[in-house]
Amino acid sequence: MDLLWSLLSITCLFLQLEGCTRVIKPNTVVVDVDMTLNTPSPCRNVMLQCGEHGPSVYWQKEKQKIGKGSELTIHVDEFLDAGNFTCHNDNGDILNHTLVLIQVTKNNRGEYPKQILQEISDQIYIKCETKNYSGVFECSWNLNMNPNSVQILVEAHRSNSSISCTVHDQDKSRAVCHELTYCPFQEELEKVGFNLYAIDGSRFENYSSEFFLADIVKPEKVQIHKKDEGDKKVVVSWEYPQSWDHPHSYFPLTFEVKALKNKHNCNHEVRSDPRTPNHKVPHKGSYHFFTEETSLQLNHSTKKYVFCVRAKDMYCNSPWSEWSAICSKKLRIKKQRNENRDRKKNSKRSDALCMPSL
């Protein structure tokens, strides 16, 4: 990061910027432009400096000569005015170059309109999650266009900390970051800042998100086991995810447990009842409770139920894990028969997803 900012400082020697203009990386400058009609702006003038002097220096844009001398002032009103500018000596050699981009600050759609990323919810474009307290987190987003036409730059920061980020090369829709100095046994006093810079042609858009890692921690799915003990007694148990932090006494999870009729999936809403003292699931209807324990003893056959479990950090208002489910062999056989029947009809069917019983 220090090397990057050193390069940016060097680049600024070759640019005289006016108004709302800034360098985002070496040889790349962004101009803020208000595109509402008849709106004058001091941000639209940019002076480029070649770094070489002499009457033989000339400038090109898209291989067309546009000026002479070591300095060039351009006026940016629209996207066609932006682009890649190069300065050359009399032999045609490139001496320096600057990519000029436009960030629209306002148009008929409002302030700072976005079109490169898809909106996830109200003014939210980035989703960040981590599966534990290791300091590694992943941020994802959805592109509105072909990834091959878009350039994505990301960076994350927190005071007195070092965070490295890498964008996925192929789909460009996610980045993995690692805060090298993060300590899971210390309270977070400052949020992580995550910035994403999206470039499409001459268009530049800036997206950002702030969060505590404790607020975005989402455990991986738990593993469920079922053991028949005879006389219609069954023990259903589940384990902490292998990726979850140790010791579990310091990083406890709370579990949401559902026992549903086999025609429902785990997202089916049921009323939450206090857990009965003998840990029995009612013979009729569905059951729903929250617990810190990792097992449940039942006194009836599980053939009529699907058991669903998910987990979250006990002390933080962070996301729940995805549901894990286990169901009876009878239900799985019925499901397979339905799938075979529907496959013959060249149609598809959506059923509750179940893990194999042990």
Side-chain angles (χ1 to χ4, degrees), residues 68-80:
K68 293 182 178 181
S70 60
E71 297 180 352
L72 176 70
T73 299
I74 61 173
H75 188 72
V76 182
D77 278 322
E78 55 186 0
F79 290 107
L80 292 177

Side-chain angles (χ1 to χ4, degrees), residues 279-318:
H279 300 180
K280 297 178 181 178
V281 173
H283 183 71
K284 295 182 180 181
S286 299
Y287 198 70
H288 179 207
F289 64 89
F290 299 86
T291 181
E292 302 171 20
E293 300 179 24
T294 56
S295 65
L296 175 67
Q297 181 176 338
L298 315 173
N299 67 346
H300 68 87
S301 170
T302 62
K303 290 185 178 180
K304 292 186 179 182
Y305 288 90
V306 177
F307 294 93
C308 304
V309 182
R310 63 178 181 174
K312 70 181 292 294
D313 189 303
M314 182 184 298
Y315 298 126
C316 299
N317 186 25
S318 52

Side-chain angles (χ1 to χ4, degrees), residues 66-321:
I66 56 173
K68 293 182 178 181
S70 60
E71 297 180 352
L72 176 70
T73 299
I74 61 173
H75 188 72
V76 182
D77 278 322
E78 55 186 0
F79 290 107
L80 292 177
D81 298 327
N84 192 37
F85 296 82
T86 57
C87 62
H88 305 254
N89 59 21
D90 53 1
N91 293 325
D93 300 324
I94 297 178
L95 303 175
N96 205 344
H97 68 94
T98 302
L99 176 62
V100 178
L101 304 173
I102 289 179
Q103 176 171 249
V104 180
T105 60
K106 190 176 183 180
N107 63 9
N108 55 5
R109 293 170 50 199
E111 295 185 353
Y112 291 96
K114 309 294 187 183
Q115 69 177 49
I116 298 180
L117 300 191
Q118 296 179 14
E119 189 176 36
I120 298 175
S121 59
D122 186 26
Q123 298 297 310
I124 296 177
Y125 297 85
I126 301 171
K127 179 181 180 181
C128 297
E129 290 182 349
T130 178
K131 61 184 178 182
N132 53 34
Y133 289 102
S134 65
V136 177
F137 60 92
E138 180 174 294
C139 294
S140 61
W141 52 88
N142 297 316
L143 293 172
N144 272 325
M145 50 202 63
N146 190 325
N148 295 329
S149 66
V150 180
Q151 183 180 3
I152 300 293
L153 306 172
V154 301
E155 57 115 9
H157 56 88
R158 178 150 55 178
S159 296
N160 301 319
S161 184
S162 175
I163 306 178
S164 62
C165 295
T166 303
V167 178
H168 191 268
D169 291 333
Q170 295 182 352
D171 58 15
K172 299 180 183 178
S173 64
R174 56 191 173 90
V176 177
C177 300
H178 186 193
E179 185 173 11
L180 302 176
T181 56
Y182 178 75
C183 178
F185 299 99
Q186 292 182 346
E187 181 182 0
E188 293 180 274
L189 301 178
E190 181 184 352
K191 292 183 177 181
V192 173
F194 181 86
N195 294 324
L196 183 150
Y197 309 118
I199 301 172
D200 177 37
S202 298
R203 178 184 294 273
F204 172 88
E205 292 179 358
N206 182 15
Y207 303 83
S208 62
S209 178
E210 289 187 339
F211 48 84
F212 290 110
L213 293 187
D215 291 336
I216 65 168
V217 62
K218 179 180 179 180
E220 292 190 304
K221 294 175 67 172
V222 303
Q223 293 182 346
I224 308 180
H225 310 282
K226 179 170 72 73
K227 181 179 179 181
D228 296 316
E229 296 188 338
D231 194 23
K232 293 187 177 182
K233 291 184 179 181
V234 176
V235 173
V236 178
S237 61
W238 48 92
E239 300 177 6
Y240 274 61
Q242 292 184 355
S243 60
W244 190 247
D245 301 271
H246 290 270
H248 294 164
S249 58
Y250 190 86
F251 300 98
L253 293 174
T254 186
F255 302 96
E256 182 177 10
V257 181
K258 291 182 180 180
L260 306 170
K261 292 183 178 180
N262 57 27
K263 65 180 180 179
H264 298 306
N265 62 32
C266 294
N267 290 319
H268 178 69
E269 294 291 337
V270 295
R271 64 188 181 91
S272 180
D273 292 331
R275 188 173 180 183
T276 53
N278 55 2
H279 300 180
K280 297 178 181 178
V281 173
H283 183 71
K284 295 182 180 181
S286 299
Y287 198 70
H288 179 207
F289 64 89
F290 299 86
T291 181
E292 302 171 20
E293 300 179 24
T294 56
S295 65
L296 175 67
Q297 181 176 338
L298 315 173
N299 67 346
H300 68 87
S301 170
T302 62
K303 290 185 178 180
K304 292 186 179 182
Y305 288 90
V306 177
F307 294 93
C308 304
V309 182
R310 63 178 181 174
K312 70 181 292 294
D313 189 303
M314 182 184 298
Y315 298 126
C316 299
N317 186 25
S318 52
W320 286 95
S321 70

